[in-house]
Amino acid sequence: MFDIEFDPAAPGRLVDALAEGSRAEARLIAARMAAVADLLAQRTAELNVEGVHPNYMIVTGFARASAEVGAALNLTKGAASRLVEQAEALRDRLPHLAALLAAGQTDWRTVEIVLARTRFVSSKVMAQIDSELAEQVGGWQCWSDGRITTTVDAKVKLLDPAAIAEREHATDRRRVEVKPLGDGTAKVDAIVTTRAGLAFDAKLSEMSGRLCPKDPRSNDQRRADAIEALAEGRELSCECGRAECPTRSAAPQSESSSPRVVFNVIADRDTVLSGGQAPGYVLGYGVIDAEQVRELAAEATMRLVTEPQVDAAAALRYQPTVSVQRWVRCRDLTCRFPGCEHPAEDCDIDHTVPFDHNKPALGGLTVPANLKCLCRFHHRLKTFGGWRDTQYPDGSVVWTSPSGKTYRTTPGGADLFNSFAPVPCGQPKAARPPKLSRAARVEQSRAKNRRLRPVNEAYRYTQSARRRELDRRRNRNRMRATLKLFKGDEPSTSPYCTWINDPFEPEELPPDWEPPPPRPPDPENPPF
């Protein structure tokens, strides 16, 4: 019970506070999406302006922006890429709707539905849809997700029918995911074709329906157990316990007929042998409880995993030994980039200090203290995307982004198992840069503007001159072709276009083509 006196006006004030909080949340989301879109624009533009090494452009501006967003917001690669894609679409394709979100006149739920349902709309039609939706969205506050989706789909189908996702797009999203729930169970999430879904549903119903009425499980539990039976290639057995039951537990299959499934489990020695309660970890899956560890260990091949001692010859070889790879994957559990949860067993083994192939003794050694797991995307990002990393003896890695931000990741195994627990390593804390005064920050911005202005002006002038030169050549070639059509090989005698008798000009400019120098401004004529 709440020991307060009822105030008739209080509920109204609280509801007003909720509404204002929702509007403030919308404004904050709009500001975040604008910042993400601006970051994407910066990371894309710098590839065109700066004189960087060609390898630097292997990683696109979108990928580099997604990596920084994922690290800053602790998002996975997929979630960060989706956020950057939404921010770009909101800025470039739905500016009117973005303005309403920034003003708190709509919510992110509505905007996210519009983004998803207009993904394939052409740019010409998108402007009209954005304008019309911005006028109507104010009346959607009480609408459900389904009603908003139906309204947007109807408008898209009227203006751009080709943008409606047809069956060939939907079937491309087929997938099956198994996610641990942390309580000894797992969630199977799948998108399959209608035919496969109906067949799977009918098979589960058939298997669960064969059991006798005395089976103690519910229908949902029987269908869930039927999935395990399907995976193991056997019939679903009854659990009533009666000897006369026609569907009681059958004899186990022979080892040759049973499908062999291999997966790796990490657990403490005490959990496996002494009844300890520390959880275990299945690589690529997640945490399981101690009882499940012992059930699996009863029929498994066990191997003691300890940090290997690497001799001098092995440390100078690029390829890690099998024992080193096993130790690093068990220590890290996942990709070591901030926010990434890609399983370690599918990751590359990366040298933090690069291995010197010409003189291995001078480069990074192939030892656990210099190795970590990186998925292929983040491995390429580190190599070509401007990210820098430092690894410490306790396995922690400090990442520095191209914008100078630092992020620290620790090995996942250290959080679960004492064998991987970090030891004090005297790692220094990241030095905080001195705080600059407002005048110093303004002067930094002004100096940057002074440095970039001539570079950007020269780039824009060169691009404009290239377009003008190509247009001039195309026009002249078109006139030469017209002359040849009407007069054949007879030259023109006009004194105004003497160049028309010249050979056709190439309509591609060489890479080293330089435009003529810009003419100085005429003081007699205004610049407009």
Side-chain angles (χ1 to χ4, degrees):
M1 297 293 292
F2 294 102
D3 189 17
I4 59 174
E5 184 178 353
F6 175 69
D7 180 5
R13 292 196 301 269
L14 294 175
V15 172
D16 290 340
L18 288 175
E20 179 56 34
S22 178
R23 289 189 290 270
E25 181 185 24
R27 291 191 288 268
L28 289 174
I29 292 177
R32 183 181 69 176
M33 301 302 282
V36 172
D38 290 344
L39 176 62
L40 173 62
Q42 291 292 325
R43 289 305 180 205
T44 303
E46 69 182 347
L47 298 180
N48 299 325
V49 175
E50 296 182 3
V52 296
H53 192 277
N55 286 345
Y56 192 64
M57 299 185 184
I58 291 178
V59 181
T60 64
F62 183 92
R64 299 176 67 231
S66 299
E68 288 197 80
V69 169
L73 302 182
N74 195 27
L75 299 176
T76 63
K77 172 181 174 291
S81 299
R82 184 166 58 252
L83 183 64
V84 175
E85 183 180 2
Q86 290 174 334
E88 182 182 26
L90 195 60
R91 180 195 62 188
D92 298 340
R93 293 167 59 83
L94 294 164
H96 293 91
L97 199 59
L100 292 180
L101 184 67
Q105 298 178 15
T106 186
D107 57 4
W108 175 246
R109 173 183 67 100
T110 301
V111 173
E112 194 169 25
I113 293 175
V114 175
L115 285 169
R117 308 309 295 184
T118 59
R119 182 179 179 184
F120 302 114
V121 175
S122 64
S123 300
K124 294 181 179 179
V125 178
M126 196 66 212
Q128 181 180 352
I129 291 180
D130 179 34
S131 179
E132 294 182 3
L133 289 180
E135 295 177 358
Q136 301 173 7
V137 74
W140 293 359
Q141 282 83 359
C142 299
W143 286 21
S144 65
D145 291 359
R147 187 174 179 184
I148 296 173
T149 301
T150 302
T151 302
V152 176
D153 283 352
K155 189 174 293 295
V156 171
K157 192 167 186 177
L158 177 65
L159 299 176
D160 192 2
I164 296 294
E166 299 293 341
R167 187 172 67 176
E168 60 267 23
H169 296 106
T171 56
D172 288 344
R173 297 185 290 112
R174 299 190 306 275
R175 61 176 175 78
V176 177
E177 293 180 353
V178 180
K179 298 181 179 179
L181 297 181
D183 56 356
T185 62
K187 179 181 180 181
V188 180
D189 186 14
I191 297 178
V192 297
T193 63
T194 301
R195 179 188 178 97
L198 293 175
F200 183 69
D201 183 64
K203 184 64 176 178
L204 295 184
S205 298
E206 178 190 356
M207 294 177 68
S208 62
R210 293 179 190 158
L211 305 183
C212 75
K214 299 294 185 180
D215 188 276
R217 294 168 292 182
S218 67
N219 184 59
D220 288 341
Q221 291 171 340
R222 289 196 297 268
R223 285 169 59 87
D225 292 345
I227 296 178
E228 182 178 358
L230 275 176
E232 296 178 355
R234 58 177 175 82
E235 292 294 330
L236 179 62
S237 58
C238 183
E239 295 185 357
C240 66
R242 298 183 302 153
E244 66 274 13
C245 177
T247 56
R248 65 184 183 275
S249 299
Q253 294 178 321
S254 63
E255 186 176 349
S256 59
S257 63
S258 177
R260 181 174 177 81
V261 180
V262 179
F263 49 89
N264 297 311
V265 183
I266 308 174
D268 283 336
R269 183 200 301 264
D270 292 342
T271 301
V272 178
L273 303 177
S274 305
Q277 296 304 310
Y281 187 90
V282 179
L283 291 180
Y285 171 77
V287 175
I288 59 175
D289 59 37
E291 287 298 327
Q292 290 176 312
V293 170
R294 285 187 281 272
E295 290 177 6
L296 296 174
E299 300 178 358
T301 301
M302 289 183 285
R303 177 185 287 110
L304 184 63
V305 179
T306 58
E307 184 171 3
Q309 299 297 323
V310 183
D311 57 38
L316 298 180
R317 288 196 296 265
Y318 178 72
Q319 184 68 26
T321 62
V322 174
S323 59
V324 170
Q325 293 187 46
R326 182 185 303 117
W327 169 263
V328 172
R329 296 187 194 279
C330 291
R331 180 199 67 193
D332 291 349
L333 299 185
T334 63
C335 170
R336 295 298 304 279
F337 192 83
C340 187
E341 56 183 15
H342 197 86
E345 58 184 357
D346 296 331
C347 289
D348 299 336
I349 301 295
D350 171 64
H351 288 74
T352 300
V353 178
F355 185 84
D356 192 328
H357 292 271
N358 296 323
K359 296 182 179 180
L362 301 180
L365 300 179
T366 307
V367 295
N370 190 48
L371 299 174
K372 63 183 179 301
C373 294
L374 286 182
C375 67
R376 183 58 53 86
F377 172 78
H378 289 127
H379 194 171
R380 295 179 67 232
L381 185 77
K382 174 201 168 183
T383 305
F384 304 114
W387 285 77
R388 293 177 285 110
D389 58 333
T390 303
Q391 186 169 347
Y392 293 92
D394 63 351
S396 61
V397 179
V398 175
W399 293 86
T400 304
S401 71
S403 57
K405 305 296 182 181
T406 57
Y407 307 93
R408 183 175 180 268
T409 66
T410 56
D415 299 330
L416 299 176
F417 308 108
N418 295 328
S419 302
F420 302 108
V423 296
C425 63
Q427 175 186 338
K429 295 183 178 179
R432 177 177 295 181
K435 189 174 181 180
L436 301 178
S437 63
R438 182 179 183 278
R441 294 196 301 271
V442 170
E443 183 55 32
Q444 277 188 349
S445 299
R446 292 172 60 85
K448 180 180 178 181
N449 292 337
R450 287 194 294 269
R451 176 175 58 86
L452 293 179
R453 184 174 294 110
V455 176
N456 292 337
E457 288 178 353
Y459 174 80
R460 288 193 293 268
Y461 175 76
T462 300
Q463 294 301 105
S464 177
R466 290 179 68 91
R467 288 193 295 270
R468 289 196 302 269
E469 177 63 16
L470 288 174
D471 289 341
R472 185 187 67 82
R473 294 188 180 188
R474 294 191 190 101
N475 290 334
R476 290 191 173 191
N477 287 342
R478 187 161 47 247
M479 295 183 68
R480 292 185 179 105
T482 304
L483 176 65
K484 187 174 184 62
L485 176 64
F486 285 101
K487 290 192 173 185
D489 295 330
E490 181 181 350
S492 172
T493 58
S494 172
Y496 301 104
C497 298
T498 56
W499 47 265
I500 201 169
N501 296 320
D502 296 339
F504 282 80
E505 300 175 77
E507 296 185 5
E508 290 184 2
L509 297 179
D512 57 349
W513 181 86
E514 293 291 338
R519 292 180 296 180
D522 188 356
E524 299 295 332
N525 296 323
F528 50 82

